[in-house]
Amino acid sequence: MFYSVSIIVVILTVTADCGKVLVFPHDGSHWVNMNILIQELHSKGHHVTVIRPADSWYIKEHSPHYDSITVDFAVGGDEAFFNVFISRQLQIRRERSPVWTRFSLDMELKDRFSEMHRKVCEMVINMIEDQKLINSIREAKYDVLITDPANGGGVVLAHYLALPMIFNVRWTVHGEAHFAIAPSPLSYVPFPLAMLTDKMTFFQRLYNMLFYSVRLFLYRRTVGPHYSALCNCYFGPDVDYFELFQAADIWLMRVDFVFEFPRPTMPNIVYIGCFHCKPAKPLPADLEDFMQSSGEHGVVVMSLGTLVGELPSDIDVEIAAALAKLPQKVIWRHTGKRPSTLGNNTILVDWMPQNDLLGHPKTRVFVSHGGTNGILESIYHGVPIVGLPLVFDQHDNLSRMKYRGVATVLDIATIDKNLFLEALREVINEPSYKINMQRLSRLEKDKPMQPLDSAIFWIEFVMRHKGAAHLRTESYKMSWPCMKKKKRD
């Protein structure tokens, strides 16, 4: 009888502590790290429900870790969209002068993402106007909504449902997340994408300010009309959509100050850099045999992320020709036609266990496009980088790594086999790259609490306390006197 009662008490206690989590994610590579949070929440006994569009690229409808709500709407940010977009970006970079290229890339980015955010807003409208769906969500009585504010759909939905809100974030629809909430003096806080450091000359500070102003203008013009119209429709003209972003309870920031430059922060920003990184697991037998066959020379791991289906054939040929001249073995994540210059030392794979390969003792260098996930895995495992940035924040991410002496960076649009081979040999043979990266790895791992544990603690904290308003500054509610007078009138 005693043991039966004890078991019942334990079950009731665990059930009482478990919550209901609603997730409005961002598709693509952003889903990879959101899914890690979801799996960990599931392992803690929480019930997770994920909202996804009908044409979702990464987010599966069925999972052992979550239930899903599939909205009968196509957002359009799928693999085909990004393949066309990346190809267009490379074409512009190869045809234009530097100044005109920068402008053309920004305009292309603005137009493409304006359309994507318009569709996100339409998806939210479809959800709210579907009374059966929205009532079922209300009746489920979720404790918190977690969203990636790279799109604003989750922000609007959380406000509509009156749910506490947590961001899994580095980028919002307005740009880098710190600039939406934390003091950001442009004299020593470089705006991401400007490819500056915190040690700026006067003219670099001037450039930083101008770059920030232009980018902020573009962000507002790209997403502002869509989300402002959405907020005006459901909340009235007194609710500013930007304030809804700033009102999030906790910001789980996917970087930390091993990667980020020191800067002012806020008490509701929780740094969880490398939360997705883990000690390497054993490789499949065929990959392990290949790694061991490299002998003392080791292995080059190359991946340009999941946004690129295949590079232009002439770039593929130059890259493969350079890799063929290395004494190292090479594992290249590659889809599409096999390059004619591919060497016997290189294998092509459709998918690779990237974290486990980077953690293998035979890995000498990582050839990367500079996505945040891959950069942080390189830091965690102490593997130096040869960077081939493509789009978005990748140039700036790799610029930071170059500044820290752990990477060299090339322009993939103008790459040739000699430049690429020289960069590879430099990073492999110059000890400073490895030494500097191993130092960053030690710093990254020396923490009082593991980043994933910290993320889960703060999610559960918000669930227990129905928010975290005591950590949130009220400065975002300040408005100009003329605006206040207008509202009173």
Side-chain angles (χ1 to χ4, degrees), residues 31-180:
W31 167 250
V32 173
N33 45 59
M34 181 69 86
N35 196 28
I36 291 171
L37 287 181
I38 290 171
Q39 291 177 24
E40 189 68 14
L41 285 167
H42 173 79
S43 73
K44 300 291 185 182
H46 300 293
H47 182 267
V48 183
T49 301
V50 176
I51 298 171
R52 60 185 294 276
D55 66 339
S56 183
W57 176 16
Y58 273 46
I59 309 165
K60 306 303 180 185
E61 186 170 11
H62 302 289
S63 168
H65 306 114
Y66 62 83
D67 293 330
S68 66
I69 297 173
T70 299
V71 182
D72 189 16
F73 189 84
V75 172
D78 57 6
E79 184 174 11
F81 169 87
F82 281 105
N83 281 338
V84 171
F85 178 71
I86 297 293
S87 297
R88 175 65 178 150
Q89 294 276 296
L90 286 174
Q91 180 185 359
I92 290 173
R93 284 164 60 182
R94 300 177 87 178
E95 293 178 353
R96 310 292 174 86
S97 64
V99 175
W100 185 244
T101 295
R102 177 90 251 181
F103 178 77
S104 299
L105 291 174
D106 283 342
M107 293 304 102
E108 186 83 12
L109 190 66
K110 173 182 175 295
D111 293 341
R112 291 276 184 172
F113 279 83
S114 176
E115 178 65 13
M116 188 188 76
H117 287 294
R118 182 185 67 80
K119 290 184 176 180
V120 168
C121 290
E122 290 182 5
M123 174 179 162
V124 173
I125 291 171
N126 282 7
M127 291 184 65
I128 294 175
E129 295 300 323
D130 186 338
Q131 290 301 310
K132 182 179 178 180
L133 173 59
I134 204 68
N135 286 337
S136 69
I137 293 174
R138 288 189 188 278
E139 291 166 3
K141 298 186 183 303
Y142 290 101
D143 298 295
V144 67
L145 186 146
I146 302 176
T147 188
D148 185 328
N151 75 69
V155 175
V156 175
L157 190 63
H159 189 72
Y160 186 82
L161 297 170
L163 289 175
M165 181 170 57
I166 295 174
F167 283 165
N168 173 20
V169 60
R170 186 180 176 220
W171 295 92
T172 76
V173 297
H174 314 93
E176 203 274 339
H178 283 101
F179 284 81

Side-chain angles (χ1 to χ4, degrees), residues 77-363:
D78 57 6
E79 184 174 11
F81 169 87
F82 281 105
N83 281 338
V84 171
F85 178 71
I86 297 293
S87 297
R88 175 65 178 150
Q89 294 276 296
L90 286 174
Q91 180 185 359
I92 290 173
R93 284 164 60 182
R94 300 177 87 178
E95 293 178 353
R96 310 292 174 86
S97 64
V99 175
W100 185 244
T101 295
R102 177 90 251 181
F103 178 77
S104 299
L105 291 174
D106 283 342
M107 293 304 102
E108 186 83 12
L109 190 66
K110 173 182 175 295
D111 293 341
R112 291 276 184 172
F113 279 83
S114 176
E115 178 65 13
M116 188 188 76
H117 287 294
R118 182 185 67 80
K119 290 184 176 180
V120 168
C121 290
E122 290 182 5
M123 174 179 162
V124 173
I125 291 171
N126 282 7
M127 291 184 65
I128 294 175
E129 295 300 323
D130 186 338
Q131 290 301 310
K132 182 179 178 180
L133 173 59
I134 204 68
N135 286 337
S136 69
I137 293 174
R138 288 189 188 278
E139 291 166 3
K141 298 186 183 303
Y142 290 101
D143 298 295
V144 67
L145 186 146
I146 302 176
T147 188
D148 185 328
N151 75 69
V155 175
V156 175
L157 190 63
H159 189 72
Y160 186 82
L161 297 170
L163 289 175
M165 181 170 57
I166 295 174
F167 283 165
N168 173 20
V169 60
R170 186 180 176 220
W171 295 92
T172 76
V173 297
H174 314 93
E176 203 274 339
H178 283 101
F179 284 81
I181 186 175
S184 303
L186 294 172
S187 56
Y188 63 91
V189 177
F191 185 71
L193 308 181
M195 291 182 283
L196 298 169
T197 73
D198 56 348
K199 299 177 181 177
M200 292 179 272
T201 66
F202 172 78
F203 290 106
Q204 286 175 328
R205 294 196 298 272
L206 181 61
Y207 173 76
N208 194 41
M209 182 185 68
L210 293 173
F211 191 89
Y212 165 78
S213 300
V214 170
R215 297 297 296 199
L216 188 62
F217 172 77
L218 288 174
Y219 286 133
R220 294 296 180 96
R221 288 294 300 272
T222 299
V223 304
H226 306 306
Y227 292 108
S228 291
L230 183 61
C231 289
N232 186 61
C233 178
Y234 292 106
F235 310 132
D238 290 343
V239 176
D240 179 69
Y241 84 102
F242 188 46
E243 291 181 4
L244 300 186
F245 281 83
Q246 295 172 308
D249 290 279
I250 294 292
W251 300 56
L252 299 176
M253 193 72 70
R254 294 193 298 263
V255 292
D256 55 34
F257 291 106
V258 174
F259 173 86
E260 185 64 79
F261 293 111
R263 50 153 306 132
T265 185
M266 298 300 286
N268 61 338
I269 295 180
V270 178
Y271 293 93
I272 58 169
C274 286
F275 79 97
H276 66 292
C277 302
K278 299 177 181 179
K281 294 183 294 187
L283 296 171
D286 56 337
L287 281 182
E288 181 60 35
D289 290 344
F290 183 81
M291 300 294 284
Q292 295 301 332
S293 71
S294 65
E296 63 180 13
H297 296 295
V299 175
V300 174
V301 175
M302 177 169 174
S303 173
L304 299 184
T306 55
L307 294 182
V308 182
E310 55 184 292
L311 293 169
S313 58
D314 59 323
I315 293 178
D316 263 354
V317 165
E318 293 294 321
I319 289 174
L323 295 173
K325 292 183 177 294
L326 291 173
Q328 285 76 24
K329 294 291 183 74
V330 181
I331 300 176
W332 182 1
R333 184 191 175 279
H334 181 279
T335 59
K337 185 179 178 181
R338 180 184 177 90
S340 60
T341 53
L342 196 72
N344 294 329
N345 65 333
T346 303
I347 60 171
L348 304 180
V349 295
D350 293 332
W351 175 86
M352 63 169 62
Q354 183 171 288
N355 181 77
D356 303 328
L357 285 170
L358 292 177
H360 197 284
K362 290 287 187 180
T363 299

Side-chain angles (χ1 to χ4, degrees), residues 464-478:
R464 287 194 299 270
H465 298 284
K466 312 301 181 186
H470 67 296
L471 298 177
R472 185 178 62 217
T473 177
E474 294 295 294
S475 61
Y476 70 93
K477 293 183 179 179
M478 292 191 300

